[in-house]
């Protein structure tokens, strides 16, 4: 199996895309630490996964990624339990144009602090084993994801230049059938009048399943040639985005 013996950490793992990524990682031999703020959904998934994959391969940590302190403790516990971290999937995110500060806080600020914490555990310079850190993909929501993309590319370059041995990539799916997607229209705030247009657009380009996103994640996680890439995933198209380069 492609990921035998590797240790993965997935944030927002209790449902949706995070859950599908967790499952595909386990199916491919990895040990997985699930982080989620929803303790009930997290514990209930843990029970299912323990039966399927064995209790020595899964760990659930109830943690709000907005708290850097709690996230730090969670990483410590994961390192103690599994002996290190090889793959970090920075997936937790919300779509909420009403509480827009929270959207930036979780989607961008917490994703950055999660990435830094993961790097502390993964960098070869700190005795880590190297690895990867893909990040995923309404104006504020979009801004949070664009910020993350810039951060991903710069971190990949910094990792390369510093010899961390850590790859950092972004997985950018279009619409995916999850709770975030179906509750999207009620969270658009001052842009609620654009919900129908968004729904028509979603219908036109199609809606991905979480399984399709998980497959693409596995591709990024296992292709060691990829660093600083953004993999765009649509129902009928999958391609690496080309950015202008000054070098
Ligand atoms: N559903 C979609 O159409 C798309 C989603 N994405 C991104 O994929 C990621 C996952 O989205 P979905 O699975 O659709 O969402 P979801 O709403 O179905 O699941 C999100 C999970 O993250 C957890 N979570 C939320 N805030 C958290 C916090 N502060 N700390 C810890 N866990 C937290 C939730 O409890 C939940 O288990 C998000 O970053 C989202 O922006 C990207 C492209 C399309
Ligand atoms: C083309 C890029 C898409 C990326 C979008 C993304 O990351 C998440 C979007 C989630 C929701 C978008 C907001 C509103 C969607 C409008 C209608 C959805 C209809 C839902 C339903 O009928 O269940």
């Amino acid at each position: 199996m492609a990921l035998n013996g590797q240790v993965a950490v997935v944030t927002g793992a209790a449902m949706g895309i995070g859950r599908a990524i967790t499952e595909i990682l386990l199916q491919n031999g990895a040990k997985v630490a699930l982080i989620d703020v929803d303790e009930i959904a997290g514990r209930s998934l843990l029970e299912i996964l323990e039966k399927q994959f064995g209790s020595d391969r899964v760990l659930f940590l109830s943690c709000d990624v907005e708290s850097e302190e709690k996230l730090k403790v969670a990483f410590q516990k994961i390192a103690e339990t599994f002996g290190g971290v090889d793959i970090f999937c920075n997936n937790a995110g919300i779509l909420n144009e009403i509480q827009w500060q929270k959207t930036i806080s979780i989607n961008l600020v917490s994703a950055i602090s999660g990435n830094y914490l993961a790097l502390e555990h993964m960098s070869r310079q700190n005795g880590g084993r190297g690895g990867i850190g893909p990040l995923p993909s309404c104006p504020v929501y979009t801004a949070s994801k664009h910020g993350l993309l810039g951060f991903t590319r710069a971190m990949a370059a910094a990792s390369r230049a510093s010899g961390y041995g850590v790859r950092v990539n972004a997985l950018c799916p279009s619409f995916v059938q999850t709770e975030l997607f179906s509750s999207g229209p009620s969270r658009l705030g001052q842009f609620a009048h654009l919900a129908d247009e968004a729904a028509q657009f979603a219908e036109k380009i199609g809606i991905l399943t979480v399984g399709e996103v998980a497959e693409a994640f596995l591709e990024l996680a296992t292709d060691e040639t990829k660093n600083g890439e953004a993999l765009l995933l649509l129902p009928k198209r999958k391609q690496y985005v080309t950015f202008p380069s000054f070098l």
Side-chain angles (χ1 to χ4, degrees):
M1 281 190 276
L3 300 171
N4 249 350
Q6 297 208 29
V7 177
V9 179
V10 181
T11 66
M15 58 197 262
I17 294 171
R19 175 177 175 158
I21 287 175
T22 296
E23 288 172 342
I24 206 164
L25 289 166
L26 285 163
Q27 284 154 11
N28 280 273
K31 292 178 182 171
V32 184
L34 295 75
I35 290 180
D36 207 290
V37 69
D38 185 338
E39 184 154 11
I40 295 173
R43 293 220 172 277
S44 140
L45 177 59
L46 178 70
E47 212 173 291
I48 295 168
L49 297 177
E50 278 181 339
K51 282 193 191 125
Q52 217 176 332
F53 299 100
S55 54
D56 57 328
R57 288 185 53 205
V58 273
L59 178 67
F60 170 69
L61 295 139
S62 169
C63 172
D64 184 338
V65 297
E66 269 193 291
S67 163
E68 195 173 10
E69 210 39 56
K70 288 187 182 144
L71 199 53
K72 197 172 186 166
V73 173
F75 264 101
Q76 208 51 49
K77 170 87 182 157
I78 294 162
E80 280 163 24
T81 309
F82 289 147
V85 178
D86 300 291
I87 297 170
F88 178 51
C89 177
N90 219 342
N91 164 77
I94 62 166
L95 186 161
N96 196 326
E97 297 293 319
I98 304 159
Q99 293 180 287
W100 64 264
Q101 294 94 335
K102 200 170 174 67
T103 299
I104 292 292
S105 170
I106 294 177
N107 292 8
L108 186 56
V109 179
S110 301
I112 290 172
S113 58
N115 206 298
Y116 280 155
L117 277 170
L119 191 62
E120 274 178 33
H121 287 267
M122 293 165 73
S123 173
R124 292 209 170 104
Q125 292 187 348
N126 296 338
R129 303 191 288 247
I132 57 148
L135 315 163
S137 112
C138 349
V140 174
Y141 177 79
T142 303
S144 72
K145 297 299 181 184
H146 276 247
L148 214 40
L149 209 48
F151 180 74
T152 300
R153 296 178 63 217
M155 277 302 291
S159 178
R160 194 182 294 116
S162 313
Y164 293 150
V166 175
R167 295 187 289 116
V168 190
N169 295 293
L171 177 57
C172 312
S174 57
F175 301 106
V176 189
Q177 195 60 65
T178 68
E179 170 62 26
L180 181 146
F181 173 68
S182 43
S183 64
S186 67
R187 308 231 165 131
L188 297 179
Q190 61 179 309
F191 305 106
H193 59 288
L194 299 175
D196 285 349
E197 203 173 304
Q200 279 165 22
F201 182 54
E203 202 176 319
K204 185 175 160 201
I205 66 169
I207 300 163
L208 292 159
T209 65
V210 293
E212 288 168 318
V213 181
E215 290 285 347
F217 175 82
L218 189 64
E219 179 180 319
L220 266 183
T222 51
D223 185 344
E224 297 199 356
T225 66
K226 298 291 182 259
N227 186 36
E229 300 278 358
L231 179 55
L232 190 64
L233 181 70
L234 285 93
K236 291 187 188 125
R237 187 155 63 98
K238 186 171 70 172
Q239 73 177 67
Y240 286 94
V241 179
T242 310
F243 293 101
S245 170
F246 302 109
L247 303 173

